[in-house]
Amino acid sequence: MWYSPSHGLIKTPRSITKDGLQHPAQIFRKWSKEELANIGFHPVRLSVPDHRYYNTSGEEYNFDNATSEWVISYGASEKNVADLKVQMKVKVKSIASSTLSASDWMTHRESDGGAAMPEDWKTYRADVRAMSNTKEAEIDALADLDAVKLYNNTPGTPNEQGGIPIIDNVTAGWPNDPDYVAS
């Protein structure tokens, strides 16, 4: 993307007329950053708040002299923490429900007088329900937006490559079913 105060935001290459001279769309692909700057077009960098936690409002354009870029930033207001917690708990319940639904047939079979559900599956199903309850209690205890962000973005244990994975505690940590085979 490029921006020029005289032409506005250019999201995709298109032909333009600048100072009476027609330029083809290819200038945005073939010209250097400096050549484009000479006719008033600079790259754009977006500075957007994380939409998971903030509502955005009006755009603001500022030129960054250090990088020769236009920076488009947005006003932001925090989302309601109580609403975010409700959404997180709905997701936890959905994960638990869909996880349990895969083995519901065993429960139905047993209740209809068929073969009993294996004990390891009963334990697994109880573990899923317990995990759901634990996660909901943890979410209820989150006091502010920073706590919600950390719960969704917890730094994990460094891996072999030295990277530190980010863990979303809503979706991570659920038990594996008894038939799970690690790859």
Side-chain angles (χ1 to χ4, degrees):
M1 286 192 296
W2 302 267
Y3 180 76
S4 165
S6 62
H7 286 79
L9 185 63
I10 298 175
K11 292 182 180 181
T12 57
R14 62 178 166 91
S15 61
I16 56 160
T17 301
K18 178 72 174 175
D19 299 328
L21 186 60
Q22 179 74 29
H23 297 283
Q26 288 81 4
I27 67 168
F28 293 103
R29 290 188 197 99
K30 295 185 177 185
W31 284 18
S32 70
K33 188 175 171 180
E34 292 76 22
E35 288 172 313
L36 287 168
N38 285 337
I39 63 168
F41 291 90
H42 295 273
V44 170
R45 178 172 26 107
L46 295 175
S47 177
V48 182
D50 192 328
H51 69 278
R52 295 175 297 172
Y53 310 113
Y54 298 95
N55 297 308
T56 58
S57 57
E59 291 180 331
E60 186 175 298
Y61 290 73
N62 292 298
F63 190 75
D64 183 345
N65 288 315
T67 62
S68 293
E69 296 175 320
W70 282 95
V71 179
I72 303 174
S73 55
Y74 296 85
S77 60
E78 291 183 357
K79 289 187 175 181
N80 181 290
V81 172
D83 292 343
L84 292 172
K85 288 166 55 171
V86 166
Q87 291 170 8
M88 292 165 70
K89 286 170 52 174
V90 165
K91 190 169 184 177
V92 165
K93 289 176 184 181
S94 175
I95 291 169
S97 176
S98 65
T99 300
L100 292 172
S101 70
S103 59
D104 281 349
W105 66 272
M106 289 186 236
T107 304
H108 298 302
R109 179 185 64 189
E110 183 175 357
S111 69
D112 286 345
M117 179 185 289
E119 285 304 314
D120 58 348
W121 277 92
K122 288 181 181 180
T123 300
Y124 161 72
R125 289 175 60 85
D127 290 348
V128 169
R129 286 189 290 278
M131 179 61 69
S132 179
N133 293 338
T134 297
K135 288 181 181 291
E136 288 182 54
E138 290 171 350
I139 291 166
D140 282 337
L142 300 175
D144 56 23
L145 186 59
D146 287 337
V148 168
K149 288 181 195 178
L150 183 58
Y151 196 79
N152 287 140
N153 302 286
T154 301
T157 305
N159 57 30
E160 303 84 45
Q161 294 82 25
I164 299 176
I166 300 299
I167 298 167
D168 180 349
N169 289 299
V170 170
T171 58
W174 292 89
N176 292 319
D177 71 58
D179 294 338
Y180 175 77
V181 176
S183 52

